[in-house]
Structures are given as C-alpha cells and as structure tokens.
Amino acid sequence: MAANVSRSIKAIAALEDGLRARMYGYVRAARRPVTRDEAAAFAGISRKLAAFHLDKLVGVGLLCAGYEQLGGVRRVGRRPKVYRCTDLHVRVEIPVRSHDLLTAVLLDAVLDAREEECSRDAALRAARAHGARLAVRCAGTADPLGAAEKVLADHGFEPYRPEPGCLRLHNCPFRPLTERAPELVCGLNHALLTGFGDATGVRAVFGPHAGECCVELRSQASLA
C-alpha cells in the first residue's frame, strides 16, 4: 500500500473518536495556535484528557505542537504548549489513484511547451521528465528492478513479479481517466515509465493485461 494512503488511514482512524474530531475541528477553525486549556474548555473535559487527544492528533500528523507565548505578552515561567494544524492532506483511495501526478505532468507541459511543439508532444516530454525524477531513489542500486518495485509501490502501481526480470503493475493509478482517453493517458503513462526506466537501467514496454496497467518493466537481461 502506498505510504501516503497508510498515513491517511491512520489520520482518519484518529478522527473516528467523536470528541477528538471536534477538537481537531476547533483547532482548524481557530486559525491560530491553541493551548491545552483552550481545547479543554471547548470540549468540556479535563486538561489532561485534552492533552491526550491533542497529542494523538500530533502523532498522526494532523497537528503539530510547540511552546510559545500567546498574545505577544512575555510571562515568567514555562511557555504553554500550543497546537496548530499541519498541511497534511488526507485522502484514502483503494486502489490508489495518482491524479496529482498526472496533473503535475500536464501542468509542466503547459508551462514548458516549446515553440512549434504540439500539446501532446509537450505532455509526453513532461511525463518522461517526471519519470526520471521518480527514479532518483533508485540511483546507484545493484538491483534496479527491485528498487523500481519499491518506488512504484509508493505511487500506487501495485507492482509484482510474474517471472524473473519482469515487473508488472497490477494497478493503473490513473483510472478512471484512462477509461475516458485510453490512448492519451496510456501514452503518458508509458512515457512516464520510460523516463523512469531510462534513468534506472530497466525497460518500459507495452504489455497489456486485463485489469492491469498497460506497461510493464523488464530488466535488460530479460530482453537479451
């Protein structure tokens, strides 16, 4: 399962508690640092219990905590612990969809389009560049296919090895857009994985299988 999905599931599980969810809503609505005393007064609970729930929200990344004086007034003694919202975006999709990645490719295609270059060619070029950037984590590895498996798993492709030297992708993270414009989206996906493969020493080839991604990755040895 992609790392961001696992993180989102933990965040949603933390909000299953109704009281905790209300406190999180209170901190979001405050738009400023909130103390334990304020949160406790809002929820009608003890300061100790409020601290427990707030720290749970910190633990899953929904809040961050620190110590600071509020209102610009310096007082003697320890500064109070305060909480504010993080920029964590919570979204759970199973199987994983990576529309943000496709959006980034298309945005780059618009911003970096060259003169006399059609929009499709610009998008394919941007996709290959994004693929190469995804491959940074694989640099210098002795097992490029294994490294590719880990990276692509984090992006929701659900890779698996049906045979040595071959990595198939059980999930297409660009559905349902693939179903709306298969030639375009599959072409971008192939370009993305081609850029990824070129940077890691593996080859992206079309290998359509029912219900799976249309591209598979192969080691150079398997193509010899």
Side-chain angles (χ1 to χ4, degrees), residues 24 29 34 59 62 99 131 134 157 164 194:
Y24 175 66
V34 171
L62 288 167
H99 295 158
L134 289 182
F157 283 92
T194 295

Side-chain angles (χ1 to χ4, degrees), residues 113-177:
R114 299 167 181 170
E115 289 187 28
E116 308 301 326
E117 184 179 43
C118 71
S119 58
R120 183 184 182 87
D121 287 346
L124 292 173
R125 181 169 54 82
R128 286 191 293 271
H130 270 267
R133 287 196 287 272
L134 289 182
V136 170
R137 285 171 51 190
C138 303
T141 179
D143 179 16
L145 205 62
E149 187 172 4
K150 293 178 181 178
V151 173
L152 295 179
D154 286 344
H155 286 83
F157 283 92
E158 297 182 4
Y160 70 99
R161 297 201 196 194
E163 59 189 69
C166 178
L167 194 65
R168 283 188 189 158
L169 309 172
H170 180 69
N171 179 49
C172 173
F174 304 132
R175 288 195 180 112
L177 298 178

